[in-house]
């Protein structure tokens, strides 16, 4: 598109200097160039900063007003969309960090009296050596060898497999 615009601008300039050598008038080439610009505002091949530098200084601004107005709107829209994306990303990060921080504060306390609901053996033996255990989100703890399925609590039978991680719901309610 940029090459086509350059060709139209060159034809417009040449038609002004030598009108008899061209089938169309300079005004027709100018109108075609403005129509091209107005029709393809925001296109990647026609960056406004390059286009404005290519336009002849003799062209009045009122003729370029539709193109310049659309350029300004597109530029403003892109800037606002970028700011919105940045804000959404920041919000998702903060929500995820908050959920992560609250999950980190959750604790499971294993005392010498606490026992596995499956085998009724204590988690800490006489020598104060703890055994490997699995902690479920509802606070239930069982020995690692006593669990049948990691996603199902052996005491309540509740399935935790369908619970998505809090980190997956960063933009949810």
């Amino acid at each position: 598109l940029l090459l086509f615009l350059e060709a139209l601008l060159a034809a417009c300039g040449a038609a002004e200097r030598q009108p008899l050598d061209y089938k169309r008038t300079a005004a027709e080439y100018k109108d075609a160039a403005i129509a091209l610009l107005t029709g393809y505002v925001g296109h990647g091949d026609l960056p406004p900063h390059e286009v404005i530098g290519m336009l002849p200084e003799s062209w009045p601004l009122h003729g370029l007003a539709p193109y310049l107005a659309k350029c300004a709107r597109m530029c403003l829209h892109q800037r606002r969309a970028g700011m919105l994306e940045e804000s959404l990303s920041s919000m998702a990060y903060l929500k995820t960090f908050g959920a992560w921080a609250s999950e980190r504060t959750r604790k499971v306390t294993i005392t010498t009296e606490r026992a596995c609901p499956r085998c009724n053996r204590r988690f800490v033996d006489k020598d104060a050596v703890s055994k490997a255990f699995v902690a479920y989100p509802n606070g239930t703890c069982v020995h690692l060898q006593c669990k049948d399925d990691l996603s199902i609590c052996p005491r309540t039978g509740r399935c935790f497999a369908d619970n998505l991680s809090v980190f997956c719901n960063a933009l949810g309610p």
Side-chain angles (χ1 to χ4, degrees), residues 24-59:
R24 301 192 191 282
T25 65
E28 289 176 317
Y29 287 117
K30 178 181 173 182
D31 291 342
I34 291 174
L36 174 73
L37 291 174
T38 306
Y40 288 95
V41 170
H43 194 279
D45 290 346
L46 292 174
H49 63 280
E50 288 184 31
V51 168
I52 291 175
M54 291 172 53
L55 297 176
E57 294 178 13
S58 62
W59 286 13

Side-chain angles (χ1 to χ4, degrees), residues 16-90:
E16 281 180 354
R17 289 187 302 276
Q18 300 168 347
L20 299 176
D21 293 346
Y22 289 88
K23 293 180 181 179
R24 301 192 191 282
T25 65
E28 289 176 317
Y29 287 117
K30 178 181 173 182
D31 291 342
I34 291 174
L36 174 73
L37 291 174
T38 306
Y40 288 95
V41 170
H43 194 279
D45 290 346
L46 292 174
H49 63 280
E50 288 184 31
V51 168
I52 291 175
M54 291 172 53
L55 297 176
E57 294 178 13
S58 62
W59 286 13
L61 281 180
H62 67 82
L64 297 170
Y67 169 71
L68 294 174
K70 283 186 175 184
C71 274
R73 272 188 260 133
M74 290 291 288
C75 184
L76 188 61
H77 172 72
Q78 289 173 348
R79 178 175 286 187
R80 286 180 177 163
M83 289 170 53
L84 180 64
E85 288 176 11
E86 188 176 327
S87 294
L88 286 172
S89 176
S90 176

Side-chain angles (χ1 to χ4, degrees), residues 92 95-96 99 163-173:
K95 195 167 183 180
T96 301
N163 290 358
L164 292 175
S165 170
V166 293
F167 307 110
C168 296
N169 297 316
L171 294 175

